[in-house]
Amino acid sequence: EVQLVESGGGLVQPGGSLRLSCAASGFTFSSYAMSWVRQAPGKGLEWVSDIEPNSYRRYRDSVKGRFTISRDNAKKTLYLQMNTLKPEDTAVYYCVKRGDRPGGQGTQVTVSS
């Protein structure tokens, strides 16, 4: 059974930083492209970033230069380093196998002064 458990969210002021983690189990993590997606209050799911097994990375334009996706295949963990956070980054963040819909609880990120 695929399990993805997100952590690391919280309340942060604009301009602050957070590092999200996602612990994976139940599949061969190193073989799959992984993504971070988010859902802001009252809005639909939005793709944020993904990373290939060879670590090739892609980002949505609004987070380029501020967010960094990475993976540790030995630890079966996906990360999202988020810097210079903005109020519009407020959302529940989920990690997924690329193309899948979220199945976990996600982690809440709130950017507010």
Side-chain angles (χ1 to χ4, degrees), residues 47-52 56-60 69 98:
W47 170 77
V48 176
S49 178
D50 56 39
I51 185 168
E52 300 279 352
Y56 178 78
R57 300 164 171 84
R58 296 189 306 149
Y59 301 93
R60 71 178 300 107
I69 191 171
R98 190 171 63 190

Side-chain angles (χ1 to χ4, degrees), residues 1 3-4 14 17 19 42-43 45 56 83-84 91 94 96 103 106:
E1 179 190 359
Q3 283 200 313
L4 296 164
S17 298
R19 189 195 195 204
K43 296 189 177 181
L45 278 174
Y56 178 78
N83 298 329
T84 321
Y94 303 90
V96 297

Side-chain angles (χ1 to χ4, degrees), residues 1-111:
E1 179 190 359
V2 172
Q3 283 200 313
L4 296 164
V5 180
E6 303 91 347
S7 62
L11 173 63
V12 63
Q13 292 187 342
S17 298
L18 285 172
R19 189 195 195 204
L20 306 185
S21 299
C22 171
S25 62
F27 65 103
T28 306
F29 178 77
S30 60
S31 297
Y32 284 85
M34 298 294 296
S35 302
W36 286 99
V37 299
R38 66 187 181 187
Q39 187 164 24
K43 296 189 177 181
L45 278 174
E46 179 178 85
W47 170 77
V48 176
S49 178
D50 56 39
I51 185 168
E52 300 279 352
N54 64 2
S55 292
Y56 178 78
R57 300 164 171 84
R58 296 189 306 149
Y59 301 93
R60 71 178 300 107
D61 285 347
S62 62
V63 307
K64 280 181 183 176
R66 300 189 297 121
F67 290 11
T68 302
I69 191 171
S70 62
R71 66 192 299 160
D72 185 330
N73 289 333
K75 294 183 177 180
K76 299 182 181 180
T77 302
L78 182 71
Y79 302 100
L80 187 67
Q81 177 67 45
M82 305 187 296
N83 298 329
T84 321
L85 282 160
K86 303 177 180 180
E88 51 264 43
D89 295 319
T90 295
V92 179
Y93 284 71
Y94 303 90
C95 69
V96 297
K97 293 166 66 179
R98 190 171 63 190
D100 285 358
R101 292 190 63 83
Q105 300 284 339
T107 187
Q108 175 71 49
V109 172
T110 303
V111 185

